[in-house]
Amino acid sequence: VQLQASGGGLVQAGGSLRLSCAASGGTFSSYGMGWFRQAPGNEREFVAAITRIGASTSYADSVKGRFTISRDNAKNTAYLQMNNLKAEDTAVYYCALRSGYIRVAASEYDYWGQGTQVTVSS
């Protein structure tokens, strides 16, 4: 399975971005899907995840109430809507897939996209 993340960019604090993750080469609806991020000098951290058909979601406390994860299995695409962005949200954002239920540990994911940079200016 190949994943292509897009939608990153430079935005002012308080602004919004929507990230997309397009999948190819597999049955997208068979996988749980997660978004992670990594800032310079930091480990990759969990942001949000959604189950195979979107029935359940999970969020990191730091983004709860500001970010929304969703997926469109007909389009083999997942999204991360990010509102009220803060400087501390600055990072490279990665999408990932795993067989089975969603997890918060990056090591539990099988397929990764290349990442898209999000920079929030304060």
Side-chain angles (χ1 to χ4, degrees):
V1 180
Q2 291 79 46
L3 300 175
Q4 179 74 39
S6 62
L10 174 63
V11 63
Q12 289 188 334
S16 298
L17 283 174
R18 188 176 82 153
L19 306 184
S20 298
C21 178
S24 60
T27 305
F28 183 60
S29 59
S30 298
Y31 298 93
M33 189 273 170
W35 284 98
F36 293 79
R37 66 188 182 186
Q38 188 167 18
N42 290 355
E43 293 187 353
R44 193 166 296 189
E45 65 174 3
F46 172 76
V47 175
I50 187 167
T51 53
R52 287 175 291 178
I53 61 171
S56 295
T57 57
S58 179
Y59 295 93
D61 288 343
S62 60
V63 307
K64 206 170 290 184
R66 299 188 297 122
F67 291 11
T68 302
I69 188 171
S70 61
R71 66 190 296 165
D72 184 341
N73 287 343
K75 296 182 178 179
N76 290 340
T77 302
Y79 306 95
L80 185 68
Q81 177 66 44
M82 305 186 296
N83 297 330
N84 190 22
L85 282 159
K86 304 176 181 180
E88 51 263 43
D89 295 318
T90 295
V92 177
Y93 283 70
Y94 298 88
C95 56
L97 300 179
R98 75 177 303 272
S99 300
Y101 201 71
I102 52 177
R103 295 286 186 269
V104 299
S107 60
E108 300 274 6
Y109 286 74
D110 305 305
Y111 304 100
W112 288 85
Q114 86 290 357
T116 185
Q117 176 70 48
V118 172
T119 303
V120 184
S121 63
S122 57

